[in-house]
Amino acid sequence: WSGHLRVASPDGASVARLFIDRSTALGPPATLVTRHATVDDEGRLWFATSHGLLAFLPIDPRISALAPVTLSPASQIYSAMVGEDGSVAIGSYRDGLHAKSSYADGWNRLYQAAPARGKQHIEAENTITDIEAIGEGRYLVSTYHGIHEANMAANRMVPRADIAALHPLLGRAHFMALEPDTGGWWWAASWRRGLFHFNIELGRCEHYQHDPSEAGSLPIDQLLCLLIDRDGRLWIGCNNGGGLCRYRRETNDFERVALNPGDALGEAFGV
């Protein structure tokens, strides 16, 4: 949150600290929202801030101050995704999904507006916390009110009724992250409702929550982020002292992980 980003080498031996250049046209000092940072095939670093999505030129570890190349149209950005085809999609706070097919193209905005549902409902559905590509110009997105699909060609974003039918909470919970698993399964992390594992084709959904009587349950139900690593392990970032935990497939339970030796578990905003 202090306006800088640390980039470490794979072995952790070298760390570059990158600062936002205050002399640019950003206006007030930008605050990093550290849940999402990604690098595209051309070496540009994209990450979210309170003043939009920043894109930086290829990183040189010797450079400690970089100026943004471009700024997205939305103000507060919660999520960002760079596709293999060069497309860029960003999820905003209350301002829907913005996407473009390439770095040089203009932005296209998808926003759900249904006045009959009320302002609070609309703002929740248009707060995009995570984005996963599911086809050309199609994205599965988590929102403050269920899981939706965005279709750029059709210029619309709608709730996924087939997902909502799998569990009563999938259509209305406050979700923070999505992560595709193998075999058509998906993980969805919610705020205060725990973790969901669902498969649309099989019509199945598994729901995991904190249980104080079970040592292997989730440490807390307030979840922030998800990541499946190259070995297929699922990592979960938790809020409010939950820290970082790992899902153990072999025993179908969770293991808490200290962020640093001797540290309290704390919060894991991004992984």
Side-chain angles (χ1 to χ4, degrees), residues 6-123:
R6 293 183 180 182
V7 181
S9 59
D11 59 4
S14 175
V15 177
R17 196 178 188 190
L18 309 180
F19 291 87
I20 292 175
D21 187 344
R22 310 293 186 188
S23 65
T24 66
L26 277 177
T31 300
L32 297 186
V33 180
T34 54
R35 289 186 62 245
H36 287 270
T38 185
V39 178
D40 66 21
D41 290 341
E42 297 182 24
R44 285 182 290 260
L45 170 67
W46 300 79
F47 63 93
T49 81
S50 61
H51 290 265
L53 181 72
L54 300 185
F56 288 107
L57 290 174
I59 301 169
D60 184 335
R62 295 169 298 180
I63 298 176
S64 60
L66 302 174
V69 176
T70 188
L71 191 62
S72 70
S75 54
Q76 296 187 44
I77 305 301
Y78 271 18
S79 52
M81 190 216 68
V82 178
E84 294 181 358
D85 59 355
S87 62
V88 180
I90 58 174
S92 67
Y93 177 63
R94 298 182 177 182
D95 199 34
L97 179 77
H98 298 249
K100 55 183 180 177
S101 57
S102 71
Y103 179 78
D105 291 340
W107 292 96
N108 185 23
R109 173 176 176 254
L110 296 184
Y111 179 85
Q112 296 184 99
R117 293 203 302 272
K119 180 180 178 181
Q120 185 175 2
H121 194 118
I122 294 170
E123 289 178 346

Side-chain angles (χ1 to χ4, degrees), residues 63-257:
I63 298 176
S64 60
L66 302 174
V69 176
T70 188
L71 191 62
S72 70
S75 54
Q76 296 187 44
I77 305 301
Y78 271 18
S79 52
M81 190 216 68
V82 178
E84 294 181 358
D85 59 355
S87 62
V88 180
I90 58 174
S92 67
Y93 177 63
R94 298 182 177 182
D95 199 34
L97 179 77
H98 298 249
K100 55 183 180 177
S101 57
S102 71
Y103 179 78
D105 291 340
W107 292 96
N108 185 23
R109 173 176 176 254
L110 296 184
Y111 179 85
Q112 296 184 99
R117 293 203 302 272
K119 180 180 178 181
Q120 185 175 2
H121 194 118
I122 294 170
E123 289 178 346
E125 290 188 344
N126 284 289
T127 295
I128 312 299
T129 55
D130 202 1
I131 308 165
E132 294 291 342
I134 56 174
E136 185 174 353
R138 295 172 55 232
Y139 307 94
L140 199 64
V141 299
S142 58
T143 77
Y144 275 9
H145 195 271
I147 298 171
H148 300 238
E149 180 177 331
N151 188 312
M152 300 308 298
N155 197 37
R156 64 185 185 133
M157 185 167 63
V158 297
R160 282 290 297 262
D162 53 347
I163 296 176
L166 299 177
H167 191 282
L169 292 174
L170 283 177
R172 57 185 176 87
H174 176 153
F175 286 100
M176 298 298 293
L178 290 170
E179 186 74 5
D181 202 355
T182 58
W185 286 88
W186 286 82
W187 292 98
S190 73
W191 181 257
R192 298 182 179 176
R193 299 290 189 172
L195 182 68
F196 296 83
H197 194 209
F198 63 89
N199 189 305
I200 302 168
E201 293 184 1
L202 298 180
R204 292 177 55 191
C205 178
E206 299 163 352
H207 186 201
Y208 300 90
Q209 291 186 285
H210 172 64
D211 183 346
S213 66
E214 294 289 339
S217 72
L218 279 172
I220 199 168
D221 288 331
Q222 297 175 0
L223 309 182
L224 295 169
C225 55
L226 298 171
L227 174 71
I228 293 181
D229 65 21
R230 67 186 65 185
D231 295 320
R233 295 171 297 197
L234 175 69
W235 300 86
I236 305 125
C238 308
N239 191 47
N240 199 25
L244 181 68
C245 71
R246 179 174 67 90
Y247 172 65
R248 296 183 289 201
R249 295 180 188 269
E250 62 277 10
T251 53
N252 193 33
D253 64 0
F254 301 88
E255 174 189 19
R256 301 188 187 196
V257 180

